[in-house]
Amino acid sequence: MINYPLAADTWDEKEYGAINRVIESNRFTIGPEVEMFEKEFAEYFGSKYAVMVNSGSSANLIAISALVLSDKYDLNLGDEVIVPAVSWATTYTVLHQCGLKLRFIDIDLDTFNLNLNELENAITENTKAIFAVNLLGNPNDFDKLINVCEDNNLILIEDNCESMGAKYHGQYAGTFGVCSTFSTFYSHHMATMEGGMILTDDDELNDIMKSIRSHGWTRNLSRDSPFNTKKDKFYEMFNFIFPGYNVRPVEMEAAIGREQLKKLDGFLKERKSNGKYFLELFSNINAISLQKNQDDSSFFGFPIIFKNEYERKKFIDSCDKNNIEYRPIVAGNFTKNKVIDYFDYTIYGDLTNSNILHDNGLFIGNHHFNVKNQIDEIYELLIKTIGE
């Protein structure tokens, strides 16, 4: 019995001490811990601003909403946004919720990211933005992606929820777009129970996101923000300027995040070491294909694509017998989900690669500690189950 989970606990006495620090402060709603975590998170990744929310999904919602509300960016109701056909649900649903049209394109079967060979042909006169997903720790080819955006006057947004700590040519994924989103859910690179973050260097977007995070009011904006319409502290307590939400994080999540951020370098070092070992070992098996590292992946996990559904099913049965946890690769080809009946969308091409991933792929977890022995065991199990 191998016993290999999808995710593992990253906390120790530091995180529990942070929780107790919040309890002793008697301040539980958004406050100084959130403010400090935002500052430290932005500094770590080299961005000007970070805005914390209650989940990575909410981070996507706030980022897209802010772009639509901003007068600076040409993204309006009914405009088209290009998305890869493989990602998590809230890459897509937030676009629908913000009144935007989705245009699905295929993935590259090597990187699992946007198929850049199809991207330019998929652009229409209604396309205003690309919501690029760095899938499972793997950064996009941002040289090509930025060139496409500049040549076609498109807004680049990054969903980096699965790729914290990944780098492209030495620069962190999640710092190439006008804004980018991160998740700190339990199974991700760092864990704050629930939580999400948005990075941006744009002053206006930062103000709008902080406003719509908290009902659309001005209370949490700086005194010199242009959105503070009156310089009266009393008036600004309940001055609503945007259609907002309540997706605020709590102090405990931020306090935990501050401790996790101190450990992130170590977490990433182990994940990357495990990931490189996995690729070296499993690339010897001709019966499968793997996600190839675009540059410096942070290895969210280990996706595997089999030759057919039957061989995937055989390996799933072996995993069940050995208590190895697995899941689909993100959500597979998302256009196969009934929820898209609610969307305003189009599909470019036939999504061949996304269908292969959907029908023949699965995913096993990576961890923040050395799992090379378990990788060896899973390798032997795979060889025994489907051959080389």
Side-chain angles (χ1 to χ4, degrees), residues 81-309:
V81 179
I82 287 177
V83 290
V86 177
S87 187
W88 191 244
T90 47
T91 302
Y92 311 114
T93 53
V94 300
L95 298 171
H96 162 70
Q97 289 158 350
C98 291
L100 298 167
K101 183 174 183 176
L102 292 84
R103 184 153 172 81
F104 292 95
I105 72 167
D106 206 2
I107 61 161
D108 179 277
L109 205 52
D110 286 332
T111 67
F112 298 178
N113 290 327
L114 283 164
N115 189 332
L116 298 180
N117 294 324
E118 292 189 356
L119 181 57
E120 286 212 76
N121 290 332
I123 296 169
T124 75
E125 62 182 9
N126 298 316
T127 306
K128 295 292 185 65
I130 298 173
F131 200 1
V133 181
N134 301 311
L135 204 79
L136 297 177
N138 206 19
N140 278 269
D141 182 337
F142 285 103
D143 285 338
K144 293 181 180 178
L145 196 50
I146 289 170
N147 283 339
V148 170
C149 288
E150 289 177 347
D151 290 346
N152 295 276
N153 195 28
L154 302 178
I155 304 163
L156 176 60
I157 316 152
E158 287 180 79
D159 183 329
N160 199 54
C161 287
E162 295 179 345
S163 297
M164 185 182 295
K167 290 182 179 180
Y168 180 77
H169 292 181
Q171 181 177 337
Y172 280 113
T175 62
F176 290 90
V178 296
C179 56
S180 58
T181 59
F182 294 75
S183 171
T184 56
F185 179 65
Y186 172 77
S187 61
H188 290 213
H189 292 82
M190 55 184 284
T192 63
M193 297 186 282
E194 295 275 2
M197 196 75 83
I198 310 125
L199 291 182
T200 187
D201 290 332
D202 189 293
D203 296 357
E204 181 182 277
L205 285 181
N206 178 59
D207 278 343
I208 296 173
M209 289 189 292
K210 284 189 172 177
S211 173
I212 61 177
R213 168 180 69 181
S214 300
H215 313 289
W217 64 23
T218 61
R219 187 194 300 181
N220 301 115
L221 304 184
S222 64
R223 297 278 290 179
D224 59 355
S225 168
F227 294 111
N228 269 339
T229 54
K230 293 183 181 293
K231 307 305 179 184
D232 182 318
K233 181 180 178 182
F234 181 80
Y235 183 83
E236 297 296 348
M237 291 179 71
F238 295 116
N239 178 20
F240 298 91
I241 57 172
F242 293 114
Y245 311 92
N246 181 5
V247 293
R248 293 173 294 186
V250 295
E251 286 285 271
M252 282 184 183
E253 291 167 336
I256 293 164
R258 295 180 67 193
E259 298 301 328
Q260 289 271 288
L261 191 61
K262 296 172 187 175
K263 302 176 181 179
L264 184 56
D265 284 346
F267 293 166
L268 292 170
K269 181 179 178 181
E270 292 292 346
R271 281 182 171 272
K272 291 179 180 184
S273 179
N274 292 334
K276 289 172 183 176
Y277 183 76
F278 173 86
L279 287 180
E280 289 172 4
L281 188 61
F282 279 68
S283 62
N284 296 319
I285 305 175
N286 294 321
I288 61 171
S289 60
L290 307 172
Q291 182 186 33
K292 293 180 175 59
N293 189 346
Q294 174 66 54
D295 189 336
D296 187 4
S297 174
S298 57
F299 290 99
F300 186 89
F302 307 134
I304 302 170
I305 296 182
F306 295 81
K307 287 185 176 179
N308 51 57
E309 285 186 81

